[in-house]
């Protein structure tokens, strides 16, 4: 696993990021370590990139901006990854759309969380991106488990998580297996 922080240089906060740790756990938590749970594709290599931050550490919601997201997307493309997981959603952005289009042109699979609204949103409104929703959201996209998903937390802990971020992580893990 390789890591890169595009937000700040605070490694303690980076290592304590619950959302990123949980998404990574769903995708690739280690097997055969006699603890916790196993990710969908435990034998892959994760590139863990931080492009969002919490306003308050105790809150589950995070903020992102176009610059940090663009840096993370560009870095992923330059590293020639196979899959880019975007367990987030936001308003359309021409720079981010161009980077996702470049990733898709290089045969990088891009998965994204489908928002509950039906308006255009990054990254799922970009043609070629795999849009993922939680079951029961009445959307015509792919769905995967997103409620009460067991995954990893910082400091070798485990918890249950809810949200389309975790549905997206399931599909990224399945895509990695394929």
């Amino acid at each position: 696993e390789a890591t890169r922080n595009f937000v700040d240089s605070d490694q303690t906060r980076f290592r304590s990021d619950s959302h990123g740790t949980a998404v990574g756990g769903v995708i690739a938590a280690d097997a055969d370590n006699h603890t916790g749970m196993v990710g969908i594709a435990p034998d892959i290599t994760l590139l863990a990139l931080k492009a969002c931050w919490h306003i308050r550490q105790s809150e589950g919601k995070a903020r992102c901006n176009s610059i940090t997201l663009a840096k993370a997307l560009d870095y992923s493309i330059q590293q020639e990854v196979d899959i880019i997981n975007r367990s987030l959603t936001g308003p359309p952005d021409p720079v981010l759309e161009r980077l996702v289009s470049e990733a898709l042109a290089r045969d990088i699979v891009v998965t994204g969380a489908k928002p509950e609204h039906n308006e255009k949103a990054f990254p799922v409104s970009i043609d070629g991106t795999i849009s993922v929703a939680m079951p029961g959201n009445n959307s015509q996209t792919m769905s995967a488990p997103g409620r009460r998903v067991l995954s990893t937390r910082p400091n070798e802990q485990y918890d249950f998580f809810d949200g389309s971020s975790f549905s997206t992580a399931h599909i990224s893990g399945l895509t990695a297996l394929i």
Side-chain angles (χ1 to χ4, degrees):
E1 175 181 314
T3 62
R4 189 92 185 249
N5 185 343
F6 294 100
V7 174
D8 56 34
S9 59
D10 188 338
Q11 289 305 310
T12 301
R13 283 187 84 175
F14 181 83
R15 286 189 305 276
S16 66
D17 185 289
S18 293
H19 185 267
T21 301
V23 167
V26 169
I27 296 170
D30 285 337
D32 300 324
N33 62 0
H34 306 289
T35 183
M37 43 77 68
V38 177
I40 302 292
D43 294 328
I44 66 164
T45 301
L46 279 182
L47 180 60
L49 307 178
K50 183 173 182 160
C52 303
W53 60 94
H54 295 279
I55 302 302
R56 289 183 202 89
Q57 194 65 11
S58 60
E59 285 185 9
K61 295 185 179 190
R63 295 252 172 125
C64 310
N65 68 37
S66 296
I67 294 170
T68 56
L69 288 170
K71 287 179 179 180
L73 282 167
D74 183 58
Y75 186 78
S76 298
I77 293 166
Q78 298 311 314
Q79 297 303 305
E80 299 178 349
V81 300
D82 296 314
I83 302 163
I84 296 175
N85 178 82
R86 298 282 70 194
S87 282
L88 55 78
T89 188
D93 180 290
V95 172
L96 299 178
E97 289 173 14
R98 176 70 183 105
L99 285 164
V100 168
S101 295
E102 178 63 25
L104 294 168
R106 293 186 187 204
D107 293 324
I108 298 172
V109 175
V110 179
T111 61
K114 171 91 171 88
E116 292 184 19
H117 61 74
N118 288 321
E119 299 170 24
K120 286 191 164 261
F122 171 81
V124 297
S125 54
I126 302 165
D127 287 339
T129 300
I130 298 174
S131 176
V132 185
M134 292 192 308
N137 279 4
N138 296 323
S139 64
Q140 294 183 340
T141 61
M142 188 174 295
S143 67
R147 289 183 179 85
R148 304 286 301 154
V149 174
L150 177 66
S151 193
T152 52
R153 287 184 54 84
N155 303 315
E156 298 180 14
Q157 297 179 9
Y158 301 87
D159 204 347
F160 291 95
F161 297 88
D162 295 318
S164 58
S165 291
F166 307 103
S167 303
T168 304
H170 274 93
I171 299 304
S172 291
L174 287 172
T175 302
L177 288 176
I178 293 170

